[in-house]
Amino acid sequence: MKKFVFILKSLLSLFFISSILFICYLLFLTPKEERFNFAEHTQGNYLSQKIFDILIFQYPNYSNAYFEKSVAFNKRGDYQKGFEYLNKAVEIDPTRHLGYRGWIKLMKLKDYNGCIKDLKRLDTLTPNTIDAPWGDNIHYLQGLAYKGLKKYDAAITEFDKSIASQKDSSWVNHNLYLYKGIILKEQNNYKEALHHFNLCLQFSYDKSPEAYFHKGKTYMKLNLVDSSKVCFEKSLTLFKEGYAHKDKYNEIMDELYESDIREALNNL
């Protein structure tokens, strides 16, 4: 029995020491790319953040480590801490990280001027490239920022640049046509507004409750009540079927709610 206990203790001790050595190897000696990939895919937990800390200590100009460490803070809404690391990443490699910072300023902070400043700088640094920060065309994002500032002519200019920069019209984010239509409606250009809402519906496979809602609002401006009712009812159906443009992490520009549609129907 004593021999068994001794063997068990020895095995446990060996396992413990091996685990410690493995963790030390993982934290300090593994090639930096492997450590980065491991920490990136376990983003946000304690070990991941510690690996980024060690990478930053060992490689103070490794911009990706600062960037990835910032992401977890930004996802949690701790933007003050997140931007400490993100700003350092931009300082080291602006071409790689300005797009994300501009996107965060637009989508999370509603800092429209800050977004435009970052994206314009990025565009200047990459004159022969159409950048796509976080997967969105850079001109589309700038258009959204100008729209947020109510600088409608500048927004339309950027939206048109976004359309022109796409190799195929099917690549254009259908919400671009929605937002351009909303601006045109605000400018009392109802014919063009309706045209853009129809384009939004064309490229969203007729599944945009927002386009139908604003199309209905435009018909109201033209005193076409029956057409408005048809659009509002279609908008409500699509909304209830789950086609609304939503993001559980971000507040969407001109976000549509079911109460908006019902109120519009009640006001007919």
Side-chain angles (χ1 to χ4, degrees):
M1 183 64 179
K2 289 183 179 181
K3 185 176 181 181
F4 173 77
V5 172
F6 174 77
I7 293 172
L8 181 60
K9 287 183 177 180
S10 298
L11 290 172
L12 289 173
S13 298
L14 180 62
F15 174 78
F16 179 75
I17 293 170
S18 298
S19 298
I20 294 296
L21 291 173
F22 173 75
I23 292 172
C24 290
Y25 175 75
L26 177 65
L27 290 175
F28 296 99
L29 301 176
T30 304
K32 74 174 184 178
E33 290 80 10
E34 291 184 23
R35 281 182 283 166
F36 178 85
N37 289 335
F38 174 85
E40 180 186 23
H41 289 99
T42 56
Q43 189 187 81
N45 67 31
Y46 179 81
L47 178 59
S48 169
Q49 294 294 71
K50 286 302 174 186
I51 290 174
F52 289 136
D53 285 338
I54 293 167
L55 286 171
I56 288 169
F57 175 77
Q58 292 179 318
Y59 308 97
N61 290 319
Y62 190 16
S63 69
N64 281 351
Y66 292 97
F67 164 74
E68 283 296 338
K69 187 171 176 65
S70 79
V71 171
F73 290 110
N74 290 330
K75 282 185 175 179
R76 291 197 293 264
D78 187 354
Y79 300 115
Q80 181 176 354
K81 194 68 176 177
F83 267 70
E84 286 182 25
Y85 293 101
L86 181 54
N87 290 341
K88 185 65 177 179
V90 170
E91 178 186 326
I92 296 169
D93 192 345
T95 302
R96 184 183 293 272
H97 304 296
L98 269 170
Y100 174 72
R101 192 172 74 177
W103 184 90
I104 284 284
K105 288 178 179 180
L106 172 65
M107 298 297 184
K108 301 283 190 180
L109 303 180
K110 313 305 178 191
D111 176 9
Y112 301 124
N113 284 313
C115 167
I116 292 166
K117 182 178 179 181
D118 277 353
L119 297 187
K120 278 189 172 181
R121 182 183 170 199
L122 175 61
D123 208 22
T124 301
L125 292 171
T126 57
N128 299 316
T129 302
I130 303 299
D131 298 287
W134 233 232
D136 283 314
N137 183 283
I138 189 170
H139 297 297
Y140 170 61
L141 295 176
Q142 289 184 89
L144 290 180
Y146 279 119
K147 181 180 180 299
L149 293 170
K150 300 187 184 302
K151 295 182 177 181
Y152 293 144
D153 290 338
I156 287 178
T157 297
E158 291 299 328
F159 288 150
D160 288 343
K161 284 182 181 179
S162 178
I163 294 169
S165 69
Q166 307 292 334
K167 293 182 179 179
D168 188 293
S169 59
S170 64
W171 292 14
V172 178
N173 187 325
H174 67 270
N175 287 310
L176 181 153
Y177 298 112
L178 170 71
Y179 291 124
K180 186 175 177 182
I182 292 172
I183 290 173
L184 292 165
K185 174 167 64 72
E186 289 295 317
Q187 295 178 328
N188 301 322
N189 190 345
Y190 302 131
K191 181 179 178 181
E192 280 299 307
L194 288 170
H195 171 64
H196 281 81
F197 295 140
N198 286 332
L199 284 173
C200 178
L201 290 167
Q202 176 185 332
F203 289 109
S204 67
Y205 305 101
D206 202 38
K207 298 294 186 183
S208 172
E210 292 83 8
Y212 273 112
F213 176 78
H214 288 286
K215 191 175 175 181
K217 286 284 191 178
T218 307
Y219 280 136
M220 285 296 295
K221 295 285 187 179
L222 297 169
N223 295 315
L224 298 173
V225 178
D226 290 341
S227 296
S228 291
K229 183 178 180 182
V230 170
C231 288
F232 291 145
E233 288 176 344
K234 183 66 174 178
S235 176
L236 183 59
T237 297
L238 289 170
F239 190 97
K240 292 168 74 173
E241 289 176 353
Y243 289 106
H245 181 35
K246 300 287 184 183
D247 187 326
K248 64 181 180 180
Y249 297 111
N250 307 308
E251 181 185 355
I252 300 298
M253 184 174 287
D254 295 301
E255 187 162 350
L256 181 65
Y257 298 92
E258 184 174 343
S259 58
D260 298 326
I261 309 170
R262 293 192 180 279
E263 181 181 354
L265 281 167
N266 291 334
N267 288 338
L268 287 175

